[in-house]
Amino acid sequence: KRGKHPIGEGWQKRATLDPDDVRDRFRSHHGNIGVYLGLTGLVLIDADGELGLETARTWQLPPTLTQRSGSGVGAHYIYQLASHQDARAITDRSKFAPGLDVKARGQFVAAPSRNASGGPCAVTVPLAPAVMPDWLFERLRKPVREAQLHPASGGSAGDVHERARLY
């Protein structure tokens, strides 16, 4: 099936950051290249359509590496996690804000290319990925549910909240 999906099962296990390995793999490959976010410490904010672009403007996202999405109406904002930010705190999810998806650990982004399911994914802001500011990291963190303390649990509210945060 043509599109921007990975070829084959287990692509995450075959992903590599070794430049020689990448070069060898793609000597005879005639498809697009994807970047597996799980290896890189990169997080992608996917603004879908005009609604997503408006939400991104409202949030005043800091300048970073940005590419036009394949639809031609949307953008991928790519940030590097700071050393104190844990990728496990971010869950890949769709529509976490109006028109915005977040992709981190289990996802990939197509490198600038053209695919059968859309137009070209082209870099529009050619910067290195900016370090994600803490305010943005906090917005992207997976929601922490308020824990209900059972009187017999013996734990304090602080303990429960800390365990929930770490989850």
Side-chain angles (χ1 to χ4, degrees), residues 81-156:
L81 291 173
S83 60
H84 64 279
Q85 296 168 340
D86 186 350
R88 293 173 296 183
I90 298 175
T91 301
D92 300 323
R93 59 191 189 273
S94 298
K95 310 297 180 237
F96 77 96
L100 296 183
D101 301 338
V102 62
K103 300 175 188 228
R105 296 179 296 141
Q107 300 290 320
F108 72 96
V109 59
S113 59
R114 177 179 285 282
N115 63 67
S117 62
C121 293
V123 172
T124 56
V125 180
L127 299 172
V131 173
M132 182 174 287
D134 287 333
W135 68 262
L136 182 54
F137 179 77
E138 289 304 318
R139 267 196 152 156
L140 300 180
R141 286 174 65 103
K142 59 184 164 185
V144 176
R145 294 185 191 110
E146 285 295 319
Q148 296 294 320
L149 283 180
H150 188 278
S153 72
S156 70

Side-chain angles (χ1 to χ4, degrees), residues 17-132:
L17 294 173
D18 181 306
D20 293 330
D21 194 22
V22 170
R23 215 174 350 271
D24 289 344
R25 288 182 190 189
F26 290 97
R27 284 191 202 287
S28 62
H29 180 75
H30 298 290
N32 294 320
I33 297 174
V35 177
Y36 177 40
L37 300 171
L39 289 178
T40 61
L42 296 174
V43 174
L44 178 134
I45 298 174
D46 183 359
D48 292 327
E50 289 299 331
L51 178 61
L53 292 172
E54 181 58 31
T55 301
R57 280 190 291 275
T58 301
W59 281 21
Q60 298 180 357
L61 294 175
T64 191
L65 174 62
T66 307
Q67 69 181 33
R68 180 180 51 243
S69 62
S71 70
V73 184
H76 299 154
Y77 302 94
I78 303 169
Y79 293 92
Q80 178 70 52
L81 291 173
S83 60
H84 64 279
Q85 296 168 340
D86 186 350
R88 293 173 296 183
I90 298 175
T91 301
D92 300 323
R93 59 191 189 273
S94 298
K95 310 297 180 237
F96 77 96
L100 296 183
D101 301 338
V102 62
K103 300 175 188 228
R105 296 179 296 141
Q107 300 290 320
F108 72 96
V109 59
S113 59
R114 177 179 285 282
N115 63 67
S117 62
C121 293
V123 172
T124 56
V125 180
L127 299 172
V131 173
M132 182 174 287

